[in-house]
Coordinates of all heavy atoms in Angstrom, one line a residue:
E1 N 109.3 85.1 128.6 CA 108.7 84.3 129.7 C 107.7 85.0 130.4 O 106.9 84.4 131.1 CB 109.9 83.7 130.6 CG 110.9 83.0 129.8 CD 111.3 81.8 130.4 OE1 110.8 81.4 131.4 OE2 112.3 81.2 130.0
D2 N 107.6 86.4 130.2 CA 106.5 87.1 130.9 C 105.2 87.2 130.1 O 104.3 87.8 130.7 CB 107.1 88.5 131.3 CG 107.5 89.3 130.1 OD1 107.3 88.9 129.0 OD2 108.1 90.4 130.5
G3 N 105.2 86.6 129.0 CA 103.9 86.6 128.2 C 103.8 87.8 127.3 O 102.9 87.8 126.4
I4 N 104.7 88.7 127.3 CA 104.6 90.0 126.4 C 104.6 89.6 125.1 O 103.9 90.1 124.2 CB 105.6 91.0 126.9 CG1 105.4 91.6 128.3 CG2 105.7 92.1 125.8 CD1 106.5 92.5 128.8
E5 N 105.6 88.8 124.6 CA 105.7 88.4 123.3 C 104.5 87.7 122.8 O 103.9 87.9 121.7 CB 106.9 87.5 123.0 CG 108.3 88.2 123.1 CD 109.4 87.4 122.9 OE1 109.3 86.1 122.4 OE2 110.5 87.8 123.3
R6 N 104.0 86.8 123.6 CA 102.7 86.1 123.2 C 101.6 87.1 123.0 O 100.8 87.0 122.1 CB 102.4 85.0 124.3 CG 101.1 84.2 123.8 CD 100.7 83.3 124.9 NE 100.4 83.9 126.2 CZ 99.4 84.6 126.5 NH1 98.3 84.6 125.6 NH2 99.2 85.0 127.6
D7 N 101.4 88.0 123.9 CA 100.4 89.0 123.8 C 100.4 89.9 122.6 O 99.5 90.3 122.1 CB 100.4 90.0 125.1 CG 100.0 89.1 126.3 OD1 99.4 88.1 126.3 OD2 100.1 89.7 127.4
I8 N 101.7 90.3 122.2 CA 101.9 91.0 121.0 C 101.5 90.2 119.8 O 100.9 90.6 118.8 CB 103.4 91.4 120.9 CG1 103.6 92.5 122.0 CG2 103.7 92.0 119.6 CD1 105.1 92.9 122.1
L9 N 101.9 89.0 119.8 CA 101.6 88.1 118.6 C 100.1 87.7 118.4 O 99.6 87.5 117.4 CB 102.5 86.8 118.6 CG 104.0 87.1 118.4 CD1 104.7 85.8 118.6 CD2 104.3 87.6 117.1
F10 N 99.5 87.5 119.6 CA 98.1 87.0 119.6 C 97.2 88.1 120.3 O 96.8 88.1 121.3 CB 98.0 85.7 120.5 CG 98.8 84.6 119.8 CD1 100.1 84.2 120.4 CD2 98.4 84.0 118.6 CE1 100.7 83.3 119.9 CE2 99.2 83.0 118.1 CZ 100.4 82.6 118.7
V11 N 96.9 89.1 119.5 CA 96.0 90.2 119.8 C 94.7 89.7 119.9 O 94.1 89.1 119.0 CB 96.1 91.4 118.9 CG1 95.2 92.4 119.4 CG2 97.6 91.8 118.7
S12 N 94.0 89.8 121.1 CA 92.6 89.3 121.2 C 91.8 90.5 120.8 O 91.9 91.7 121.1 CB 92.4 88.9 122.7 OG 92.4 90.0 123.5
L13 N 90.7 90.1 120.1 CA 89.7 91.1 119.5 C 88.5 91.1 120.5 O 88.1 90.2 121.1 CB 89.2 90.7 118.2 CG 90.3 90.6 117.1 CD1 89.7 90.0 115.8 CD2 90.9 92.0 116.9
S14 N 87.9 92.4 120.6 CA 86.7 92.4 121.3 C 85.6 91.8 120.5 O 85.6 91.6 119.3 CB 86.4 93.9 121.6 OG 86.0 94.5 120.5
P15 N 84.5 91.5 121.2 CA 83.2 90.9 120.5 C 82.8 91.8 119.4 O 82.4 91.4 118.3 CB 82.3 90.7 121.6 CG 83.0 90.6 122.9 CD 84.2 91.4 122.7
E16 N 82.9 93.1 119.6 CA 82.5 94.1 118.6 C 83.4 94.0 117.4 O 82.9 94.1 116.3 CB 82.6 95.6 119.2 CG 81.5 95.8 120.2 CD 81.9 95.4 121.7 OE1 83.1 95.0 121.9 OE2 81.0 95.3 122.5
E17 N 84.7 93.9 117.6 CA 85.6 93.9 116.5 C 85.4 92.6 115.7 O 85.5 92.5 114.5 CB 87.1 94.0 117.0 CG 87.5 95.3 117.6 CD 88.8 95.3 118.2 OE1 89.1 94.3 119.0 OE2 89.5 96.3 118.1
V18 N 85.2 91.5 116.4 CA 84.9 90.2 115.7 C 83.7 90.3 114.9 O 83.6 89.9 113.7 CB 84.8 89.1 116.8 CG1 84.2 87.8 116.0 CG2 86.0 88.7 117.5
Y19 N 82.6 91.0 115.4 CA 81.4 91.1 114.7 C 81.6 92.0 113.4 O 81.1 91.7 112.3 CB 80.3 91.7 115.5 CG 79.0 92.1 114.8 CD1 78.2 91.1 114.4 CD2 78.7 93.4 114.5 CE1 77.1 91.3 113.8 CE2 77.6 93.7 113.7 CZ 76.8 92.6 113.3 OH 75.6 93.0 112.6
E20 N 82.4 93.1 113.5 CA 82.6 94.1 112.6 C 83.3 93.4 111.4 O 83.1 93.7 110.2 CB 83.3 95.3 113.0 CG 82.5 96.3 113.8 CD 83.3 97.4 114.4 OE1 84.5 97.7 114.0 OE2 82.7 98.2 115.2
R21 N 84.4 92.6 111.8 CA 85.3 91.9 110.8 C 84.3 90.9 110.0 O 84.4 90.8 108.8 CB 86.3 91.2 111.4 CG 87.4 92.1 111.7 CD 88.6 91.4 112.2 NE 89.7 92.3 112.6 CZ 90.9 91.9 112.8 NH1 91.3 90.7 112.7 NH2 91.8 92.8 113.1
K22 N 83.4 90.2 110.6 CA 82.5 89.4 110.0 C 81.5 90.0 109.1 O 81.4 89.5 107.8 CB 81.7 88.5 111.1 CG 80.8 87.4 110.5 CD 80.0 86.7 111.6 CE 79.2 85.6 111.0 NZ 77.8 85.8 110.9
V23 N 81.0 91.1 109.5 CA 80.0 91.8 108.7 C 80.8 92.4 107.4 O 80.4 92.2 106.3 CB 79.5 93.1 109.4 CG1 78.8 94.0 108.5 CG2 78.5 92.4 110.5
T24 N 82.0 92.9 107.6 CA 82.9 93.4 106.6 C 83.1 92.4 105.5 O 83.0 92.6 104.3 CB 84.1 94.0 107.1 OG1 83.8 95.1 108.0 CG2 85.0 94.6 106.0
R25 N 83.5 91.1 106.1 CA 83.9 90.1 105.2 C 82.6 89.7 104.4 O 82.6 89.4 103.2 CB 84.4 88.9 106.0 CG 84.9 87.8 105.1 CD 85.7 86.7 106.1 NE 85.2 86.5 107.3 CZ 85.8 86.8 108.5 NH1 86.9 87.4 108.4 NH2 85.3 86.6 109.6
E26 N 81.4 89.6 105.0 CA 80.3 89.2 104.3 C 79.9 90.2 103.2 O 79.3 90.0 102.2 CB 79.1 89.1 105.3 CG 79.2 87.8 106.2 CD 78.2 87.7 107.4 OE1 77.4 88.8 107.5 OE2 78.2 86.6 108.0
Q27 N 80.0 91.5 103.7 CA 79.7 92.6 102.6 C 80.6 92.5 101.4 O 80.2 92.6 100.3 CB 79.9 93.9 103.3 CG 78.8 94.2 104.3 CD 79.2 95.6 105.1 OE1 80.2 96.2 105.0 NE2 78.1 96.0 105.7
L28 N 81.9 92.2 101.6 CA 82.9 92.1 100.5 C 82.5 90.9 99.7 O 82.5 91.0 98.4 CB 84.3 91.9 101.2 CG 85.5 91.9 100.0 CD1 85.4 93.2 99.2 CD2 86.7 91.8 100.7
H29 N 82.2 89.8 100.3 CA 81.8 88.6 99.5 C 80.5 89.0 98.7 O 80.4 88.7 97.4 CB 81.5 87.4 100.3 CG 82.8 86.8 100.9 ND1 83.6 86.0 100.0 CD2 83.4 86.8 102.0 CE1 84.6 85.5 100.8 NE2 84.6 86.1 102.0
A30 N 79.6 89.7 99.2 CA 78.3 90.1 98.5 C 78.7 91.0 97.4 O 78.1 90.8 96.3 CB 77.4 90.7 99.4
A31 N 79.7 91.8 97.7 CA 80.0 92.9 96.5 C 80.7 92.0 95.4 O 80.4 92.3 94.2 CB 80.9 93.9 97.1
I32 N 81.6 91.2 95.7 CA 82.3 90.5 94.7 C 81.3 89.5 93.9 O 81.4 89.4 92.7 CB 83.4 89.6 95.2 CG1 84.6 90.6 95.8 CG2 84.0 88.6 94.3 CD1 85.7 89.9 96.6
A33 N 80.3 89.0 94.6 CA 79.3 88.2 93.8 C 78.5 89.0 92.8 O 77.9 88.4 91.9 CB 78.4 87.6 94.9
T34 N 78.5 90.3 92.9 CA 77.9 91.2 91.9 C 78.6 91.3 90.6 O 78.1 91.7 89.6 CB 77.5 92.6 92.4 OG1 78.7 93.2 92.6 CG2 76.6 92.5 93.7
L35 N 79.9 90.9 90.6 CA 80.7 91.0 89.5 C 80.6 89.9 88.5 O 80.1 88.8 88.9 CB 82.3 91.1 89.9 CG 82.6 92.1 91.0 CD1 84.1 92.0 91.3 CD2 82.5 93.5 90.3
S36 N 81.0 90.1 87.3 CA 81.0 89.1 86.4 C 82.0 88.1 86.8 O 83.0 88.4 87.5 CB 81.3 89.5 85.0 OG 82.7 90.0 84.8
D37 N 81.9 86.9 86.3 CA 82.9 85.8 86.7 C 84.3 86.2 86.3 O 85.2 86.1 87.1 CB 82.6 84.5 85.9 CG 82.1 83.4 86.9 OD1 81.9 83.7 88.1 OD2 82.0 82.2 86.3
K38 N 84.4 86.8 85.2 CA 85.8 87.2 84.7 C 86.4 88.3 85.6 O 87.5 88.2 86.0 CB 85.7 87.8 83.3 CG 87.0 88.0 82.6 CD 86.8 88.3 81.1 CE 86.5 87.1 80.3 NZ 86.5 87.4 78.8
Q39 N 85.6 89.3 86.0 CA 86.1 90.4 86.8 C 86.4 89.8 88.2 O 87.5 90.2 88.7 CB 85.1 91.4 86.9 CG 85.0 92.5 85.8 CD 84.0 93.6 86.0 OE1 83.0 93.3 86.7 NE2 84.4 94.8 85.6
A40 N 85.5 89.0 88.7 CA 85.8 88.5 90.1 C 87.2 87.7 90.1 O 87.9 87.7 91.0 CB 84.7 87.5 90.5
K41 N 87.4 86.9 89.1 CA 88.5 86.0 89.0 C 89.8 86.8 88.8 O 90.9 86.6 89.4 CB 88.4 85.0 87.8 CG 87.5 83.9 88.1 CD 87.3 82.9 86.9 CE 86.3 81.9 87.2 NZ 86.0 81.0 86.1
R42 N 89.7 88.0 88.0 CA 90.9 88.8 87.8 C 91.2 89.6 89.1 O 92.4 89.6 89.5 CB 90.5 89.8 86.6 CG 90.6 89.1 85.3 CD 90.1 90.1 84.2 NE 90.2 89.5 82.9 CZ 89.8 90.1 81.8 NH1 89.1 91.2 81.8 NH2 90.0 89.4 80.6
I43 N 90.3 90.0 89.8 CA 90.4 90.7 91.0 C 91.1 89.8 92.0 O 92.0 90.1 92.7 CB 89.3 91.4 91.6 CG1 88.9 92.6 90.7 CG2 89.4 91.8 93.0 CD1 87.6 93.3 91.1
Y44 N 90.6 88.6 92.1 CA 91.2 87.7 93.1 C 92.5 87.2 92.7 O 93.4 87.3 93.5 CB 90.2 86.3 93.0 CG 90.7 85.3 94.0 CD1 90.4 85.3 95.4 CD2 91.5 84.2 93.5 CE1 90.9 84.4 96.1 CE2 92.0 83.2 94.4 CZ 91.7 83.4 95.7 OH 92.1 82.4 96.6
A45 N 92.7 87.0 91.5 CA 94.2 86.6 91.0 C 95.1 87.7 91.3 O 96.2 87.6 91.7 CB 94.1 86.3 89.5
H46 N 94.7 89.1 91.0 CA 95.6 90.0 91.2 C 95.9 90.5 92.6 O 97.1 90.6 93.1 CB 95.0 91.4 90.5 CG 96.0 92.6 90.5 ND1 97.2 92.5 89.8 CD2 95.9 93.7 90.9 CE1 97.8 93.6 90.0 NE2 97.0 94.4 90.6
F47 N 94.9 90.5 93.5 CA 95.0 91.0 94.9 C 95.2 89.9 95.8 O 95.9 90.2 96.9 CB 93.8 91.9 95.3 CG 93.7 93.2 94.5 CD1 92.9 93.3 93.5 CD2 94.6 94.2 94.9 CE1 92.7 94.5 92.8 CE2 94.6 95.4 94.1 CZ 93.6 95.6 93.2
F48 N 94.7 88.7 95.6 CA 94.9 87.6 96.5 C 96.0 86.6 96.3 O 96.6 86.1 97.1 CB 93.6 86.9 96.8 CG 92.5 87.7 97.5 CD1 91.5 88.4 96.7 CD2 92.5 87.9 98.8 CE1 90.7 89.3 97.2 CE2 91.6 88.7 99.3 CZ 90.6 89.3 98.7
L49 N 96.2 86.5 94.9 CA 97.3 85.6 94.5 C 98.5 86.4 93.9 O 99.5 85.7 93.6 CB 96.7 84.6 93.3 CG 95.5 83.9 93.6 CD1 95.1 83.0 92.4 CD2 95.9 82.9 94.8
N50 N 98.4 87.7 94.0 CA 99.5 88.5 93.6 C 100.0 88.3 92.2 O 101.1 88.4 91.8 CB 100.7 88.4 94.6 CG 100.4 89.0 95.9 OD1 99.7 90.0 96.0 ND2 100.9 88.2 96.9
M51 N 99.1 88.0 91.3 CA 99.4 87.7 89.9 C 99.4 89.0 89.2 O 98.5 89.8 89.3 CB 98.3 86.8 89.3 CG 98.7 86.3 87.8 SD 97.5 85.3 87.1 CE 97.7 83.9 88.0
S52 N 100.5 89.2 88.4 CA 100.5 90.4 87.6 C 99.6 90.6 86.5 O 99.0 89.5 86.0 CB 102.0 90.6 87.0 OG 102.2 89.7 86.0
K53 N 99.3 91.8 86.1 CA 98.3 92.0 85.0 C 98.8 91.4 83.7 O 98.2 90.9 82.9 CB 98.1 93.4 84.9 CG 97.2 94.1 86.0 CD 97.1 95.5 86.0 CE 96.5 96.1 87.2 NZ 96.7 97.5 87.4
A54 N 100.2 91.6 83.5 CA 100.9 90.9 82.4 C 100.7 89.4 82.3 O 100.5 89.0 81.3 CB 102.4 91.4 82.4
K55 N 100.8 88.8 83.4 CA 100.7 87.4 83.5 C 99.3 86.9 83.2 O 99.1 86.0 82.4 CB 101.2 86.9 84.8 CG 101.5 85.3 84.8 CD 102.0 84.8 86.2 CE 102.2 83.4 86.2 NZ 102.8 83.0 87.4
M56 N 98.3 87.7 83.7 CA 97.0 87.3 83.4 C 96.6 87.6 81.9 O 96.0 86.8 81.3 CB 96.1 88.2 84.3 CG 95.9 87.7 85.7 SD 94.6 88.6 86.5 CE 95.5 90.0 87.2
A57 N 97.1 88.6 81.4 CA 96.9 89.0 80.0 C 97.5 87.9 79.1 O 96.8 87.4 78.1 CB 97.6 90.3 79.7
K58 N 98.7 87.5 79.4 CA 99.3 86.4 78.6 C 98.5 85.1 78.7 O 98.2 84.5 77.6 CB 100.7 86.3 79.1 CG 101.5 85.2 78.2 CD 103.0 85.1 78.6 CE 103.7 84.1 77.7 NZ 105.0 83.9 78.1
A59 N 98.0 84.8 79.8 CA 97.2 83.5 80.1 C 95.9 83.6 79.3 O 95.5 82.6 78.9 CB 97.0 83.3 81.5
E60 N 95.3 84.7 79.2 CA 94.0 84.9 78.7 C 94.1 85.4 77.2 O 93.0 85.4 76.5 CB 93.2 86.0 79.3 CG 92.8 85.6 80.8 CD 91.9 86.6 81.4 OE1 91.1 87.3 80.8 OE2 92.0 86.6 82.7
G61 N 95.3 85.7 76.7 CA 95.4 86.2 75.3 C 94.8 87.5 75.0 O 94.3 87.8 73.9
V62 N 94.8 88.5 76.1 CA 94.3 89.7 75.9 C 95.4 90.7 76.2 O 96.5 90.3 76.8 CB 93.1 89.9 76.7 CG1 92.0 89.1 76.3 CG2 93.3 89.8 78.2
S63 N 95.2 92.0 76.0 CA 96.1 93.0 76.5 C 96.2 93.2 78.0 O 95.2 93.0 78.6 CB 95.9 94.3 75.7 OG 94.7 94.9 76.2
K64 N 97.3 93.7 78.4 CA 97.5 94.1 79.8 C 96.5 95.2 80.2 O 96.0 95.2 81.3 CB 99.0 94.5 80.1 CG 99.3 94.8 81.6 CD 100.8 95.0 81.7 CE 101.0 96.4 81.9 NZ 102.4 96.7 82.3
E65 N 96.4 96.2 79.3 CA 95.5 97.3 79.5 C 94.0 96.8 79.6 O 93.2 97.3 80.5 CB 95.5 98.2 78.3 CG 96.9 99.0 78.2 CD 98.0 98.2 77.7 OE1 97.7 97.1 77.0 OE2 99.2 98.6 77.8
S66 N 93.7 95.7 79.0 CA 92.3 95.2 79.0 C 92.1 94.5 80.5 O 91.0 94.8 81.0 CB 92.1 94.1 78.1 OG 90.8 93.4 78.2
I67 N 93.2 93.9 80.9 CA 93.1 93.3 82.3 C 93.0 94.4 83.3 O 92.2 94.4 84.2 CB 94.3 92.5 82.7 CG1 94.3 91.1 81.6 CG2 94.3 92.0 84.0 CD1 93.3 90.2 81.9
G68 N 93.7 95.5 83.1 CA 93.8 96.6 84.1 C 92.4 97.3 84.1 O 91.9 97.7 85.2
E69 N 91.9 97.6 82.9 CA 90.5 98.2 82.9 C 89.5 97.4 83.5 O 88.6 97.8 84.2 CB 90.3 98.5 81.4 CG 88.9 99.2 81.2 CD 88.9 100.6 81.9 OE1 89.9 101.3 82.2 OE2 87.7 101.1 82.1
S70 N 89.5 96.0 83.2 CA 88.5 95.1 83.9 C 88.6 95.2 85.4 O 87.6 95.2 86.1 CB 88.8 93.7 83.4 OG 87.9 92.9 84.0
I71 N 89.8 95.2 85.9 CA 90.0 95.2 87.4 C 89.5 96.5 87.9 O 88.8 96.6 89.0 CB 91.5 95.0 87.7 CG1 91.8 93.5 87.5 CG2 91.8 95.4 89.2 CD1 93.3 93.1 87.6
R72 N 89.9 97.6 87.2 CA 89.5 99.0 87.7 C 87.9 99.1 87.7 O 87.4 99.5 88.8 CB 90.0 100.1 86.7 CG 89.8 101.5 87.2 CD 90.2 102.5 86.2 NE 89.3 102.6 85.0 CZ 88.0 103.0 84.9 NH1 87.5 103.4 86.0 NH2 87.3 103.0 83.8
R73 N 87.2 98.6 86.7 CA 85.8 98.6 86.7 C 85.2 97.9 87.7 O 84.2 98.2 88.4 CB 85.3 98.2 85.3 CG 85.3 99.3 84.2 CD 84.6 98.9 83.0 NE 84.6 97.6 82.5 CZ 85.5 97.0 81.7 NH1 86.4 97.7 81.2 NH2 85.4 95.8 81.4
G74 N 85.8 96.6 88.0 CA 85.3 95.7 89.1 C 85.5 96.4 90.4 O 84.5 96.2 91.2
L75 N 86.5 97.1 90.6 CA 86.8 97.7 92.0 C 85.8 98.8 92.1 O 85.3 99.0 93.2 CB 88.2 98.2 92.0 CG 89.3 97.2 92.1 CD1 90.7 97.8 92.1 CD2 89.1 96.3 93.4
L76 N 85.4 99.5 91.0 CA 84.4 100.6 91.2 C 83.0 100.1 91.5 O 82.3 100.6 92.3 CB 84.4 101.4 89.9 CG 85.6 102.4 89.5 CD1 85.4 103.0 88.2 CD2 85.5 103.5 90.6
K77 N 82.8 98.9 90.9 CA 81.5 98.3 91.2 C 81.4 97.9 92.7 O 80.4 98.0 93.3 CB 81.3 96.9 90.3 CG 80.9 97.4 88.9 CD 80.7 96.1 88.2 CE 80.5 96.4 86.6 NZ 80.3 95.1 85.9
I78 N 82.6 97.3 93.1 CA 82.6 96.9 94.6 C 82.5 98.1 95.4 O 81.6 98.0 96.5 CB 84.0 96.1 94.9 CG1 84.0 94.8 94.2 CG2 84.2 96.0 96.4 CD1 85.3 94.0 94.3
E79 N 83.1 99.2 95.1 CA 83.1 100.4 95.9 C 81.6 101.0 96.0 O 81.1 101.3 97.0 CB 83.9 101.5 95.3 CG 83.9 102.7 96.1 CD 84.8 103.9 95.4 OE1 85.1 103.8 94.3 OE2 85.1 104.8 96.1
C80 N 80.9 101.0 94.9 CA 79.5 101.5 94.8 C 78.5 100.6 95.5 O 77.8 101.0 96.4 CB 79.0 101.4 93.4 SG 79.7 102.8 92.4
F81 N 78.8 99.2 95.4 CA 78.0 98.3 96.3 C 78.2 98.5 97.7 O 77.2 98.6 98.5 CB 78.3 96.8 96.0 CG 77.6 95.8 96.6 CD1 76.4 95.3 96.2 CD2 78.0 95.3 97.9 CE1 75.7 94.4 96.9 CE2 77.3 94.4 98.6 CZ 76.1 93.9 98.2
L82 N 79.4 98.7 98.2 CA 79.7 98.8 99.6 C 79.2 100.2 100.2 O 78.7 100.3 101.2 CB 81.2 98.7 99.9 CG 81.8 97.3 99.7 CD1 83.4 97.4 99.8 CD2 81.1 96.3 100.6
K83 N 79.2 101.2 99.3 CA 78.6 102.5 99.7 C 77.1 102.4 99.9 O 76.5 102.9 100.9 CB 78.9 103.6 98.7 CG 80.4 104.1 98.8 CD 80.6 105.2 97.8 CE 82.0 105.7 97.8 NZ 82.4 106.7 96.8
K84 N 76.5 101.7 98.9 CA 75.1 101.5 99.1 C 74.7 100.6 100.3 O 73.8 100.9 101.1 CB 74.5 100.7 97.8 CG 74.4 101.6 96.6 CD 73.8 100.9 95.4 CE 74.0 101.7 94.2 NZ 73.6 101.0 93.0
F85 N 75.5 99.6 100.5 CA 75.2 98.6 101.7 C 75.5 99.4 103.0 O 74.8 99.2 104.0 CB 76.3 97.6 101.5 CG 75.9 96.3 102.3 CD1 75.2 95.3 101.8 CD2 76.2 96.2 103.7 CE1 74.8 94.2 102.5 CE2 75.8 95.1 104.4 CZ 75.1 94.1 103.8
G86 N 76.4 100.4 103.1 CA 76.7 101.1 104.2 C 75.6 102.2 104.7 O 75.5 102.6 105.7
N87 N 74.8 102.5 103.7 CA 73.9 103.6 104.0 C 72.5 102.9 104.4 O 72.1 102.0 104.1 CB 73.6 104.5 102.8 CG 74.8 105.3 102.5 OD1 75.6 105.6 103.4 ND2 75.0 105.7 101.2

């Protein structure tokens, strides 16, 4: 009743934090847009939908190792893009 619980649950962000999150989100979207369709879909499925590499491999008719390597290469591309964007 004193508002402490509400304050804990609803952390207010400073304008700078809101801006930084927006910029980070835009950079991430731009980085993902540089990937092939297949890599972008695999990364999205694995990290956002929590789909296992084995399940993706079975659905696509490829090996789990192939999925893992594709995701790894995609993440490296994203990392390189974000490093360039940050400089």
Side-chain angles (χ1 to χ4, degrees):
E1 307 226 2
D2 58 9
I4 294 173
E5 288 179 16
R6 183 185 57 79
D7 288 345
I8 291 171
L9 294 175
F10 299 104
V11 177
S12 61
L13 301 174
S14 72
E16 292 83 13
E17 290 170 319
V18 171
Y19 175 75
E20 286 176 13
R21 286 186 179 192
K22 181 178 188 256
V23 169
T24 301
R25 190 173 30 252
E26 289 172 355
Q27 290 172 347
L28 184 57
H29 284 286
I32 291 171
T34 67
L35 302 177
S36 70
D37 250 8
K38 190 176 283 190
Q39 277 182 328
K41 287 177 183 177
R42 287 173 174 172
I43 286 173
Y44 180 80
H46 186 62
F47 292 103
F48 293 94
L49 302 178
N50 294 318
M51 186 180 285
S52 71
K53 293 172 189 168
K55 190 172 182 179
M56 282 188 274
K58 185 175 181 181
E60 293 184 27
V62 298
S63 71
K64 186 173 105 175
E65 291 76 18
S66 174
I67 297 291
E69 183 61 21
S70 175
I71 290 172
R72 187 188 69 73
R73 283 192 322 268
L75 292 175
L76 286 174
K77 286 181 186 178
I78 290 172
E79 180 183 17
C80 287
F81 180 90
L82 293 176
K83 282 182 180 178
K84 287 179 188 175
F85 200 93
N87 291 334

